[in-house]
């Protein structure tokens, strides 16, 4: 496509912009989980080989490798879906009761999909080397795998949520300033000049004027401040009402920017645009919001 409607990594530019901020953390997560599961598969193959050597038994290295790595690759593929689901429907103190049924059904879906993908990969791999693969009889073999898969699924759900919790604790989580128990508030709560950020057990104030842009993420809005994202539990619409419209502009249903952090506007085919921010990020601007953005900037 031309420059105005170019494709980036297989996605339209306006879609690619929406993952610009999250990409480094996503790549780190992919690298970590890939290393964990693939190294575990390699370790299992080695353990099978050492056991066969100890017992003076023949060792089918190729078949064992196919079985272990097919299971690891299937788990990695499903982990991508699980990670997206936990971000979209996280378990919190006020949400877990109505979402726990969804996660229980997810365990059954994980089992069926994992076994199906694993068997398909094994059949393909064995066929490539001129052999035939038989998984096992139903229902014994499938339910044997069921207990293993549910255990793996449960541990991964806990691990993904724990990693998200620790990440928020490490980087900080923003809160709107609340009304004080006694005396008048330091500033108008409806139009806060600061956000309260909790980070590793400490609290400090982040000036609203320092927020460069914000992106909706499930039940949260991530506030971007000096290279860090501070999740704020609020909807984008509610946040927009709290911020000064002379300073902050809505560019997309999931994005809001500080007008002082906007460096340039790049029009795209279809009427959308990419907004290039001072820190190098690219924020999407929808076709509906672009005229409003230009009018607000012209008025300035």
């Amino acid at each position: 496509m031309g420059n105005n409607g170019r494709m980036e990594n297989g996605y339209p530019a306006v879609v690619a912009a929406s993952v610009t901020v999250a990409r480094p953390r996503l790549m780190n997560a992919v690298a970590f989980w890939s290393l964990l599961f693939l190294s575990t598969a390699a370790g299992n193959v080695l353990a099978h080989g050492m056991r066969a050597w100890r017992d003076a038994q023949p060792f089918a290295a190729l078949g064992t490798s196919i079985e272990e790595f097919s299971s690891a690759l299937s788990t990695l593929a499903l982990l991508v879906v699980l990670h997206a689901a936990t971000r979209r429907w996280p378990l919190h103190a006020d949400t877990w009761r109505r979402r726990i049924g969804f996660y229980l059904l997810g365990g059954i879906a994980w089992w069926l999909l994992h076994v199906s993908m694993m068997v398909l990969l094994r059949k393909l791999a064995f066929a490539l080397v001129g052999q035939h693969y038989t998984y096992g009889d139903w229902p014994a073999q499938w339910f044997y795998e069921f207990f293993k898969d549910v255990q793996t699924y449960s541990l991964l759900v806990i691990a993904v949520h724990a990693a998200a919790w620790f990440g928020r604790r490490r980087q900080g989580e923003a809160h709107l300033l609340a009304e004080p128990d006694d005396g008048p508030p330091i500033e108008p709560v409806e139009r806060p000049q600061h956000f309260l950020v909790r980070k590793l057990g400490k609290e400090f104030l982040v000036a609203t004027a320092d927020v460069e842009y914000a992106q909706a993420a499930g039940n949260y809005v991530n506030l971007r401040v000096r290279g860090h994202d501070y999740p704020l539990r609020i909807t984008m619409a509610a946040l927009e009402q709290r911020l000064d419209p002379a300073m902050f502009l809505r560019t997309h249903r999931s994005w809001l920017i500080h007008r002082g952090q906007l460096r340039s506007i790049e029009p795209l085919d279809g009427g959308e645009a990419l907004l290039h921010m001072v820190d190098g990020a690219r924020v999407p601007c929808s076709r509906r919001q672009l005229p409003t953005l230009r009018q607000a900037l012209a008025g300035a």
Side-chain angles (χ1 to χ4, degrees), residues 13 19 49 60 69 90 140 153 163 172 184 199 219 225 232 257 282 285 290 294:
V19 297
F69 280 95
Y153 169 80
K199 181 177 180 180
N219 296 330
V225 182
L232 172 67
I257 68 166
R282 295 166 298 171
C285 184
L290 184 56
R294 284 176 168 158

Side-chain angles (χ1 to χ4, degrees), residues 63-80:
T64 303
S65 298
I66 291 174
E67 291 180 352
E68 291 294 338
F69 280 95
S70 63
S71 178
L73 291 173
S74 299
T75 301
L76 281 172
L78 290 174
L79 184 57
V80 175

